[in-house]
Amino acid sequence: MGQGNSMARVAFIGLGNMGGGMAANLAKAGHEVRAFDLSEVALERARGKACTPVGSADEALAGAEAVVTMLPAGKHVADVYRGNVLINAPKSAILMDCSTIDVATAKTVAGEAAAAGYTMVDAPGSGGIAAANGGTLTFMVGGSDEGFARAKPFLDQMGKAVIHAGGAGAGQAAKICNNMLLGATMAATCEAFVLAQKLGLDLQTFYDISSKASGQSWSMTSYCPVPGVGPDTPADRDYEGGFATALMLKDLKLAMEAAKEAGAYTPMGGEAEELYQRFADRGGAGKDFSALIKMIDDSWVVPAGA
Ligand code: NAD
């Protein structure tokens, strides 16, 4: 547990798939977590996990020493910060936005927070719902040295790694670059397995070879899209759970938006965006993103024994 935050009053706003587990981990670490979400169901779930559900964002913010937001997208974050946090949180509170949002909004809101006298960091997490529940997220943090130092003890209690990426917005930048890489390597991994099968290779044998050869990647060895091959992954549960295609698509769109603004040439990211868009349009939005393999080969045959 980090120095100086052995027990703090934390306002937690956004108790969805990710925020619910993260808030519970802060409560488990001994903090008084005052939790708010627009959804009654989410509030009730938080009550069952040692958090104190409250009726409004402002109620959660009153007297808070730390504020965590875990909201869907940039517009929700801007609304909650402009309408609540930057008005009603104590100026001494450390503000952490853990949502995955566009870099431009992250920088704008951080600028408004600084102008209002607050210390804020953007701290998106990687690892998905299982890591949010298990307290093993990887956080990439954008903000000042002071902001990072103050946020880290709280983030440590929700994650296994907390890395200072740079100034305001750098956490979001790191997150979308990472997920662009993930989207592209997963698409390439799916293609490679489909081709391997068409060429008559045994898929377990191809995995054994490629996972120790230069084609190896996290998409292959930690998140193999083939049922029954590699570690247990969503592929072994008919691609349920895990990281939804819709969320991968969201991150790829954020990456393409940022690339356009920055004038970066990202053809592989663009191709990945198009593939995931097509898969979402064909009904794959709610499936784990590794289910893309089913679209890459419509005749995809689940290997014997899977
Ligand atoms: P979610 O939709 O399950 O949760 C978002 C919650 O925010 C909902 O419960 C919603 O009711 C609440 N909300 C929206 N507007 C609000 C407001 N004004 N005040 C209070 N509550 C409000 O989404 P999630 O899966 O928990 O993801 C949250 C963020 O984390 C997103 O930015 C997402 O991209 C990112 N993320 C998700 C995953 C994942 O695997 N689900 C992984 C990494 C990052």
Side-chain angles (χ1 to χ4, degrees):
M1 188 170 289
Q3 215 181 3
N5 80 326
S6 49
M7 161 79 179
R9 180 182 274 206
V10 181
F12 204 111
I13 304 174
L15 308 164
N17 289 320
M18 296 288 292
M22 292 163 66
N25 283 324
L26 288 177
K28 216 191 293 171
H31 298 298
E32 181 195 349
V33 180
R34 295 165 69 84
F36 176 67
D37 195 291
L38 295 174
S39 148
E40 284 295 331
V41 177
L43 278 176
E44 271 319 302
R45 232 183 4 234
R47 188 194 303 280
K49 294 199 173 142
C51 298
T52 307
V54 295
S56 69
D58 292 340
E59 220 178 303
L61 293 165
E65 292 156 84
V67 176
V68 183
T69 45
M70 194 54 173
L71 298 162
K75 65 174 170 15
H76 308 91
V77 172
D79 284 355
V80 168
Y81 274 78
R82 288 176 187 151
N84 305 99
V85 179
L86 301 184
I87 300 170
N88 290 311
K91 301 267 184 207
S92 55
I94 172 73
L95 312 181
M96 296 165 261
D97 178 38
C98 294
S99 328
T100 300
I101 68 169
D102 59 288
V103 177
T105 301
K107 284 185 178 168
T108 304
V109 173
E112 290 172 16
Y118 290 96
T119 305
M120 175 179 182
V121 297
D122 50 289
S126 171
I129 298 164
N133 289 334
T136 57
L137 289 163
T138 294
F139 288 102
M140 24 221 127
V141 186
S144 64
D145 288 343
E146 186 220 337
F148 177 72
R150 290 181 60 198
K152 189 173 182 296
F154 294 97
L155 299 172
D156 276 338
Q157 289 163 340
M158 300 185 282
K160 68 171 178 349
V162 182
I163 301 155
H164 196 181
Q172 299 297 349
K175 165 89 185 178
I176 59 170
C177 289
N178 179 73
N179 280 21
M180 182 177 82
L181 193 54
L182 173 62
T185 59
M186 181 55 81
T189 303
C190 290
E191 282 180 17
F193 273 109
V194 169
L195 178 60
Q197 187 175 51
K198 287 189 191 273
L199 293 176
L201 282 166
D202 173 70
L203 294 184
Q204 180 65 50
T205 305
F206 174 61
Y207 174 89
D208 292 343
I209 293 166
S210 204
S211 63
K212 289 184 182 57
S214 48
Q216 186 273 339
S217 73
W218 187 91
S219 294
M220 172 175 282
T221 50
S222 294
Y223 217 95
C224 187
V226 181
V229 176
D232 183 61
T233 66
D236 299 303
R237 299 182 289 280
D238 196 25
Y239 305 96
E240 294 300 336
F243 185 43
T245 291
L247 289 172
M248 172 50 84
L249 185 57
K250 172 194 163 181
D251 291 353
L252 287 167
K253 284 185 190 299
L254 290 176
M256 292 307 100
E257 211 177 288
K260 202 168 152 199
E261 267 174 41
Y265 179 48
T266 51
M268 301 292 285
E271 196 62 43
E273 182 200 7
E274 199 183 302
L275 281 167
Y276 283 105
Q277 180 70 64
R278 202 177 310 159
F279 184 46
D281 291 345
R282 291 183 179 192
K287 288 280 186 188
D288 180 75
F289 78 118
S290 64
L292 184 74
I293 198 164
K294 291 185 166 196
M295 186 187 81
I296 286 178
D297 182 2
D298 284 343
S299 65
W300 178 249
V301 181
V302 176

